[in-house]
Amino acid sequence: MSENNQFLDALAQMQEVKVGDIVDVNVLSVEDNQINVGVQNAGVEGVITRRDFTNDRSVNLRDAVKPGDTFKAYVVRRAGGDKENGEFFFSVIRVKEREAYDKLQKDFEEGKTIEGKVTSAVRGGLLVDVGTRGFLPASLISNRFVSDLKPYIGKTIKVKITEIDPAKNRLILSHKELIEEEREEAFENVASQLVVGDIVEGRVSRLTNFGSFVDIGGVDGLVHISEISYKHVDKPSDVLKVGQDVKVKVIGIDNDRHRISLSIKQTEPSPFEQATANLNEGDIIEGEVKSLTNFGAFVEVADGIQGLVHVSEISNKHVDKPSDVLTVGEKVKVKVLNIDPSERRISLSIKQADPENASSSNDRPRSRRSSNNDSVARKYMSNDDNGFSLGDMIGDQLKKR
């Protein structure tokens, strides 16, 4: 075969290089910021810049590749001008992206969870390498607000694809979706083992202005600020610390909203229970008149604990107004008629505290007027530890005026 024919055969075997092709290239030489390559069977040379070779800025190109290495590269564009067989810019990342997008498309369609390494933090979120570069918006990192993105850099995290468009090189990821799924699964596992009224061990996981979140077996339940202590609490951080072990009582389970309501204070005796621990129905004790109303007198029988002496229980004689026979601050003997721990209320009697009057008063039927007064008294009773809301009583009397 003549040299001319050999040249023509070689020329026929030369492949044409076009923008958008994926070609095999040989490494000719390596510089600090670029790799010089030649396209196999094309007689075309070009360069691969650092950013088109890797997303990892810490990689040393001279260590990553050596002259003679062969790999596939994407033809990005001509180096300049329209000169035939002129130099081209190539990209290895584009090849990996195309391969990655094919796999990621399947993962997206099947709803699979994938892993990626966070390469950097940018405005509005994180860049994650999942075979190609994906964007994880700050709002989809967690089910809680994330203010500092830097701690995520360099970490490998699990994500789900929420949006994919290879043509636009657009890949949106979510870590929050996984957290929600795990949270729902954990809630179902924990909630299925709990009933309202259970007392369990927990650990304070987070503090807010409105309460404390307590981890009970992998699920956070809320202890509202009003359920932290029987004493007034201005801020949960005044009495609790993150990581503190606490006992909590389950006071509510919302399966629809996946929420568990807890109480710390209800694991302990209330001030009412503590104050009345040694008080029994039938006891005769001394107390102090704290306030007077038209339907009776409130007598303090323990520190901060008041009971009601109904007007019908003040004396065996008819009493129009408690103030006719009693004064605020007066010490009186009273008999405990009833203690209601659930309502935190105590019913007292002055007339039955006198043994001489007790038998006759027990035999005497109550008048219709007394029955009416009973309903008035019940109207003004509250769930406060002292058993009654004095502010409400005074306010109602002012309204009548």
Side-chain angles (χ1 to χ4, degrees), residues 25-303:
V25 298
N26 294 320
V27 176
L28 303 176
S29 62
V30 184
E31 301 177 21
D32 288 339
N33 293 309
Q34 70 178 41
I35 304 169
N36 300 310
V37 298
V39 180
Q40 291 183 356
N41 301 321
V44 174
E45 297 181 0
V47 298
I48 302 173
T49 63
R50 170 188 289 277
R51 67 180 183 180
D52 275 314
F53 180 76
T54 178
N55 287 321
D56 190 343
R57 297 178 182 178
S58 64
V59 168
N60 185 326
L61 292 183
R62 296 180 188 275
D63 294 334
V65 292
K66 302 294 182 184
D69 288 351
T70 301
F71 44 78
K72 293 187 180 297
Y74 176 86
V75 184
V76 180
R77 63 182 174 85
R78 286 184 177 275
D82 296 326
K83 187 170 66 174
E84 189 175 357
N85 292 334
E87 290 188 340
F88 286 84
F89 281 101
F90 301 96
S91 173
V92 173
I93 285 180
R94 292 282 188 93
V95 176
K96 293 179 180 178
E97 285 177 347
R98 182 172 292 187
E99 294 172 348
Y101 267 110
D102 289 340
K103 180 180 181 301
L104 292 169
Q105 184 67 45
K106 288 186 65 177
D107 291 337
F108 174 62
E109 293 170 357
E110 296 174 6
K112 285 186 176 180
T113 298
I114 60 176
E115 283 191 350
K117 183 178 181 180
V118 179
T119 57
S120 60
V122 296
R123 184 176 181 181
L126 301 169
L127 296 182
V128 184
D129 185 355
V130 288
T132 184
R133 187 172 64 180
F135 179 62
L136 176 57
S139 61
L140 297 181
I141 294 175
S142 175
N143 58 347
R144 302 171 185 170
F145 175 71
V146 177
S147 58
D148 188 5
L149 302 180
K150 291 181 181 179
Y152 288 91
I153 298 175
K155 289 188 176 180
T156 298
I157 60 174
K158 292 182 178 181
V159 292
K160 274 199 168 185
I161 301 169
T162 62
E163 186 179 342
I164 183 170
D165 188 344
K168 295 182 180 179
N169 203 28
R170 180 178 176 83
L171 182 65
I172 307 300
L173 310 171
S174 172
H175 183 60
K176 177 181 178 180
E177 188 174 335
L178 288 174
I179 293 176
E180 293 294 348
E181 289 178 0
E182 291 171 357
R183 181 174 176 269
E184 287 181 15
E185 184 178 348
F187 175 87
E188 290 172 2
N189 291 335
V190 172
S192 65
Q193 301 176 45
L194 294 175
V195 295
V196 173
D198 282 351
I199 294 178
V200 296
E201 296 285 343
R203 178 167 293 178
V204 178
S205 59
R206 186 160 53 102
L207 297 173
T208 70
N209 290 332
F210 56 83
S212 166
F213 287 93
V214 176
D215 184 335
I216 50 171
V219 174
D220 280 356
L222 174 65
V223 179
H224 190 267
I225 190 170
S226 62
E227 289 294 332
I228 292 177
S229 173
Y230 286 107
K231 297 179 181 179
H232 175 71
V233 176
D234 285 322
K235 293 185 300 181
S237 57
D238 290 340
V239 292
L240 295 172
K241 293 181 180 179
V242 173
Q244 180 179 343
D245 292 326
V246 292
K247 280 187 178 180
V248 289
K249 182 177 181 179
V250 180
I251 59 175
I253 300 175
D254 188 336
N255 290 301
D256 293 331
R257 300 169 71 184
H258 296 100
R259 293 181 180 176
I260 299 177
S261 299
L262 306 171
S263 174
I264 293 176
K265 75 178 186 182
Q266 291 188 40
T267 63
E268 304 170 350
S270 69
F272 180 91
E273 293 169 324
Q274 293 178 31
T276 59
N278 298 317
L279 199 62
N280 301 298
E281 293 180 7
D283 286 352
I284 296 176
I285 56 177
E286 186 176 72
E288 180 182 339
V289 177
K290 286 295 184 179
S291 62
L292 299 170
T293 70
N294 288 334
F295 56 81
F298 288 92
V299 177
E300 184 176 65
V301 294
D303 187 20

Side-chain angles (χ1 to χ4, degrees), residues 294-297 308-320 322 337 348-352 361 364-367 369-371 373-374:
N294 288 334
F295 56 81
L308 172 66
V309 179
H310 190 267
V311 64
S312 62
E313 291 294 334
I314 291 177
S315 173
N316 282 318
K317 297 179 182 179
H318 175 70
V319 176
D320 282 325
L337 302 181
L348 305 171
S349 174
I350 292 176
K351 71 180 184 182
Q352 292 188 48
S361 63
R364 185 177 303 168
R366 289 194 174 189
S367 65
R369 179 175 179 179
S370 295
S371 178
N373 283 339
D374 281 341

